Amino acid sequence: MTVAMSGDCDSDDLTLLDAWWRAANYLAVGQIYLRDNPLLREPLAPEHVKPRLLGHWGTTPGQTFLWAHLNRVARRGEFDPLFVSGPGHGGPAVVAAAYLEGTYTERYSHVTADADGLRTLFRQFSYPGGIPSHVAPETPGSIHEGGELGYSLAHAYGAVFDNPDLLVACVVGDGEAETGPLATAWHANKFCHPVHDGTVLPVLHLNGYKIANPTVLARIPDDELLALFTGYGYRPYVVEAGLDSDHAAVHRRMADTMDEIVDEIAALRREAAEAAEDGAAGRAVPRPRWPMLILRTPKGWTGPREVDGQQVEGTYRAHQVPLAGTRDNAEHRAQLEEWMRSYRPEELFDDGGKLRPDLAALHPGGDRRMSATPHANGGELLRALRLPDFRDHAVAVDRPGGPVAEATRVLGGWVREVVRQNPDNFRLFGPDEIASNRLQDVFAVTDRQFDGEIVDGDDHLAPAGRAVEMLSEHMCQGWLEGYLLTGRHGLFTCYEAFIHIVDSMLNQHAKWLKVTRDIPWRRPIGSLNYLLTSHVWRQDHNGFSHQDPGFIDHVVNKKAELVRVYLPPDANTLLSTADHCLRTRDYVNVIVAGKQPAPQWLGMEEAVAHCTRGLGVWEWASNDDSAEPDVVLACAGDVPTLETLAAVDLLRRHLPDLRVRVVNVVDLMRLEDPTEHPHGLPDREFDALFTPDKPIIFAYHGYPWLIHRLTYRRTGHPNLHVRGYKEEGTTTTPFDMVMLNDLDRFHLVMDVIDRVPGLGVRHAGLRQRMADERLACREYTRRHGEDRPDVRDWVWTDSGEPDGRAGRPGAAADTASDFPDDVRTGPDQHDPMADVR
Amino acid sequence: MTVAMSGDCDSDDLTLLDAWWRAANYLAVGQIYLRDNPLLREPLAPEHVKPRLLGHWGTTPGQTFLWAHLNRVARRGEFDPLFVSGPGHGGPAVVAAAYLEGTYTERYSHVTADADGLRTLFRQFSYPGGIPSHVAPETPGSIHEGGELGYSLAHAYGAVFDNPDLLVACVVGDGEAETGPLATAWHANKFCHPVHDGTVLPVLHLNGYKIANPTVLARIPDDELLALFTGYGYRPYVVEAGLDSDHAAVHRRMADTMDEIVDEIAALRREAAEAAEDGAAGRAVPRPRWPMLILRTPKGWTGPREVDGQQVEGTYRAHQVPLAGTRDNAEHRAQLEEWMRSYRPEELFDDGGKLRPDLAALHPGGDRRMSATPHANGGELLRALRLPDFRDHAVAVDRPGGPVAEATRVLGGWVREVVRQNPDNFRLFGPDEIASNRLQDVFAVTDRQFDGEIVDGDDHLAPAGRAVEMLSEHMCQGWLEGYLLTGRHGLFTCYEAFIHIVDSMLNQHAKWLKVTRDIPWRRPIGSLNYLLTSHVWRQDHNGFSHQDPGFIDHVVNKKAELVRVYLPPDANTLLSTADHCLRTRDYVNVIVAGKQPAPQWLGMEEAVAHCTRGLGVWEWASNDDSAEPDVVLACAGDVPTLETLAAVDLLRRHLPDLRVRVVNVVDLMRLEDPTEHPHGLPDREFDALFTPDKPIIFAYHGYPWLIHRLTYRRTGHPNLHVRGYKEEGTTTTPFDMVMLNDLDRFHLVMDVIDRVPGLGVRHAGLRQRMADERLACREYTRRHGEDRPDVRDWVWTDSGEPDGRAGRPGAAADTASDFPDDVRTGPDQHDPMADVR
């Protein structure tokens, strides 16, 4: 048989292609309905039908149709196609294709290429102990879970980054097309380089209906539909099939159209490559108007036209299982048999149940099969990053709290080197926040990739670059997922509060990772790394709407073996943490770190040791001499660490005999029980650090309940008192913000007085002074619009010597009574605008 | 002065309008920079400038420009406009407008209409104790928080539902336009009735830049831009202003364009109304092609052209505060003064600092001012729902566990009556899941509103209806928020797993509600009600990707006074709960309830009593005779309740002397400490119910840690053992699903044996039998594809009499050994596909 080439597609080829399509549809229906008699060698009996019928037929025949025609494209040879099934609830389509291509049997040897294997294939589908009804990690050839809709195009565009030979055919269901994330993902064509990146061919599959409703895009006039995709920057092609269309004619139209599309893609890429070679500096390559295909077919095409007197094919009733109760309903059973026989299985499979060889020759071979492409099992292609030594970027810390640095800016220097050394398999994604989050050093070695118009004055914007920024957290997450799933590495940096936008995407990716762990042929992929900054405690610029640390809680609900949460307290610990995360596989790593100037606590070697332990006593801040402390002050997060150390400073001045131990936590999961999380600290060690019976005052970055949840089984939990964010915020000053949430140094001292037995009565005066300080600080901010300088500029000056703290240059006022008098304002000096809120 | 009418806009009018615009811009700049000298009556000195400069200038002048022209529209009189500021970080614009219209002083009497008031207005902005820098609940005239971007259009379209006289001008920033939710929200024009609903006028404000990047829509060719909005179904109008455009000319173009737009809207509405009057049955009213406006202006228009040698106006550098460090930088201070004086404040305000009367006459009066419209303070317009008696829909429960019903289908009957009795202020939103979630009874009295093409065979689809379905959770949430914020009521029904899609929207709405509680003039609005069904335990059709009960955890992180979570165990409790929720104000109510056939436990009066208590002992299921039990079996959620009662049944058979107490929880927040949540049960009552010292086995619907978090302060917490969802799922049978997560009846019995002192050793045999039952059940599902009938069909048959359970018709097999023999399969009978996963 000759390969059908562009403009050379004869009817025999299409007859074979139609047979392959019938085979795929036959297998899809078989998966939904049958548990036996897979080749219909005997009349269909009740015991051949599954007792519970689950699955989605409606989208399936359109997808098998497309797969069949994409195999024609694959065999042309210009492109390695990858198939992304947006309507992935049509799992039977992709499973059928993988089986017909032989990949399924290669991956699952018990699903043999014969009648027994067919029986197994059918029976396992959506069956207890079998495979999901949706496209899933178990499905060969897929990088896209068929669960929550909306992310297929983002995955597709993520997959083609730095894969110039890859063509991703991305089926977008017209239901999925209504979701927000999908509606903006069409614009990803403005972030895709026509030479360095591959090509996405979006296929809008208009089958007209969702579960019970028509779809929006199926019910607008054709001129609007075409205008919409022209407006999105594509050249739309249309192929339509009606209920009564002649299949041969539809195949012909589709084949011709696909040839035209692929020729056009090839030409556009060639032109772009030539332009790039000829190009001078600046914008050498104009943005191509890539083709996209609108494929209009009946929902449930080739299925039962009518069931029980109601139209099914071409309506929403075809969405799931068109014939219900088929095992016990003889009429439905007869209809099922007629339906399946309409595909003429006897022409498709040989006596043993094996696909006829001329049909098996319709797909390309080996890794070029869409079901076997290594791009869909990215771990096979994964190359470890070349990671420069993060120690080269260390902040020199002569003494704890001495230097001031912006943690993420320091990290940016190292990320710049990561970018430099990994020019084709590491990318940085952000919703217009890479610079705002202080990683702008990366722009010394790369640009923001943008394929829209670029004008003078644009800041590091270029047609190609390692940074990708669009104001859509969904796109950033989807791109990165697609990039990781095809075997590369990346980092998503985002404002902490807005990362909740992708909560449900994280869910789906984490579920994917969980399942792949039990699939031997799925190779580990790069971890999903988040750098969350512009965090809850420093939203003085934006206020309450930007304050939410709950993403950590959300992540911690996922399977423990997948998730890691890090709260490095300064730049060196951030460097060490980030280096670790970029080395890991198959995890979700969340790093929360500030971008504002802040004191630096640990030298690099201490930082590495601290991060390796995940948590530990800061002896230089403790005065329990490794003996039993009176109180443990624990902290996690940069701002809580600062306030804790400032509280320790106050305690040393005012309660010098109190034995204080400071424990800092970088790796939050160390707190959890070791039976619950692999990082969990053994109880013995936990007790040793936190004591089984002393008060623990824990200053935490996020919602305080999480610390309780992680530690509720610990011996000392009844003594644990957590301060954290409790949904009190506003546009305010940094210190006012911690005061609003009772996480400030003064309140921590009050907590110590309240919790350490005996202190309360003896130090009621001190407690009151602390409370007064808080009031005075609040007054000051209201009068002056900024924090009281002694609080704002407080530095840790203790040398570790018992009396080394006094008299150092830059030390804060030594006693509370030294605070400036002018802040002691009375009520009559209240600022009137204090009444506004 | 005469009012400028369509086609009658003379230059004098526009000169005044320009003066108003200058006044608004002046006030906006003043808010960002000044703490004193508000009218620049003296040269600008350092002490007049705020020490910390916060706020967003870039978007502001475009919004004031639009507001000025919308006031012209408002004064025409056809429409009551409401202004929605998508780029709401430009808070100074809306605050300035509200002040100029007098509303600000009416709402905040200390912000007077004079120089003192101006000083206060300036000083309070983004100042400790002052107001947020973003548009916020504090801002008169707003229903839209200027925080997370993407929801302005959904809010706008939600606001116009059932508000035929309302015109919402919705500014969409070109940054916001990149978000997914916004990109799909343009399609909301297909769900808006041209007669019964009002009109949205979307204004795409193309100022070209975000924080550091250009925007996508500003960098595509004009033909694509126009095609895009034509494709979205609008008629796009364009007004452009360049850096050097003559302001008078731009005002002229804008005024003419706005007149044209408003004329067109009026004509379209008139035509639609006439068509509706003339209309026969079916689709009488064609979908109008509503106008939308593309307003292209420089970012930071009228601000400093250059700062420190770099272009600012017209670039991303104008995004926030164009002149930094102005207090201490004399050059910047001079530039600020020049900038502010360029607005010629002496022409705008009188000697006392009051707006000149001819400018004050430019806006309409009273409630028709955009800053004063009651639509933006929906509680003012709120009418309580007429709620039919839910008792009329009760399921008759002759004995606990007797009848079987689908809880949400029963609820649907009552919701149908709610819809019927509230034809203009209650709507139901869902992502194509209203019928799937079994609320289809509502379609007996209403339709799904859809303004695309409607064809024969569509299911209850009509141009007007109380149900709104689009496959976008973002749209459902945004529409409902807009509907609630303008004073109406609604219900959002969604698959439980996918409600995470709107996590961050819930955050923003909850923050809004929290803040409004402290704003006296903000009136309470209808609660945000979620009905989550198709829940985690019954995803046999879809599998792992659809399993996630974590939305509850997310909600519980919000302020306690706002959030309520209900897990009614059956239909009657669901009815009672839903009735309660629809009566509440200012809450977020989450109801989780199943849609599958399930046993019914409580008669209606018991259900009401149980829901009123929120939790309680089910005496009929307990055998502790109100004395001290040996163990407490607690449950929350329908499936956990079923498994708990089945476990009790097993315990009665096998351990008849064990004293068991069953506690069912409907209102989850009853578990929390009363100091943390207003619903929290006092410790004394909690101890009485759960005992201070007996084992508590808690079967919970969601992630088990939440129960620990809610109860960690309770006396009995050390004895609490929670079973819940732990991220183990697949496409499987209902009983296999609970087994996967150790929440099944057999495992609960094992838990009892493990936890009740003394049982473990004595009943090791029983424990092993329970473990064997689980294995046998799993084997059965794998062989037969469905649950073992005795487990699936188990019914609670206990009459309350000690020996009343045996021999009843329909009772399950009496002892474990009676289970059918054929399920005792050995390893060699394993189904081969068990190896697939």
Side-chain angles (χ1 to χ4, degrees), chain B residues 268-284:
Chain B
L268 289 170
R269 294 193 63 89
R270 206 163 42 236
E271 286 162 26
E274 286 162 9
E277 273 177 27
D278 300 344
R283 174 153 193 80

Side-chain angles (χ1 to χ4, degrees), chain A residues 697-731:
Chain A
I697 313 293
F698 200 127
Y700 170 55
H701 172 85
Y703 291 114
W705 312 285
L706 181 62
I707 301 299
H708 287 294
R709 176 186 139 178
L710 294 175
T711 60
Y712 72 87
R713 294 183 178 177
R714 301 295 192 174
T715 320
H717 180 258
N719 318 309
L720 176 66
H721 187 64
V722 186
R723 292 291 175 188
Y725 180 68
K726 45 180 195 175
E727 291 283 303
E728 294 291 349
T730 181
T731 309

Side-chain angles (χ1 to χ4, degrees), chain A residues 466-541:
Chain A
R466 314 310 303 162
V468 189
E469 298 210 84
M470 180 176 177
L471 208 168
S472 167
E473 286 78 0
H474 291 114
M475 282 306 301
C476 294
Q477 173 91 15
W479 270 323
L480 176 55
E481 288 178 359
Y483 199 60
L484 297 174
L485 287 160
T486 47
R488 284 78 63 81
H489 308 264
L491 178 65
F492 176 8
T493 174
C494 186
Y495 281 22
E496 183 181 31
F498 299 147
I499 195 68
H500 271 303
I501 291 172
V502 298
D503 276 2
S504 61
M505 296 182 75
L506 178 275
N507 279 351
Q508 197 142 297
H509 189 76
K511 283 177 188 291
W512 178 281
L513 291 179
K514 170 182 180 286
V515 174
T516 59
R517 298 200 158 206
D518 296 327
I519 302 175
W521 59 267
R522 284 269 176 203
R523 308 298 306 147
I525 61 170
S527 296
L528 178 55
N529 298 307
Y530 294 98
L531 173 66
L532 306 184
T533 180
S534 305
H535 63 50
V536 59
W537 298 105
R538 291 305 306 274
Q539 286 301 329
D540 4 327
H541 202 80

Side-chain angles (χ1 to χ4, degrees), chain B residues 253-276:
Chain B
R253 280 200 299 279
M254 181 71 172
D256 291 345
T257 305
M258 288 301 280
D259 282 337
E260 206 177 329
I261 284 174
V262 174
D263 288 345
E264 185 175 355
I265 290 173
L268 289 170
R269 294 193 63 89
R270 206 163 42 236
E271 286 162 26
E274 286 162 9

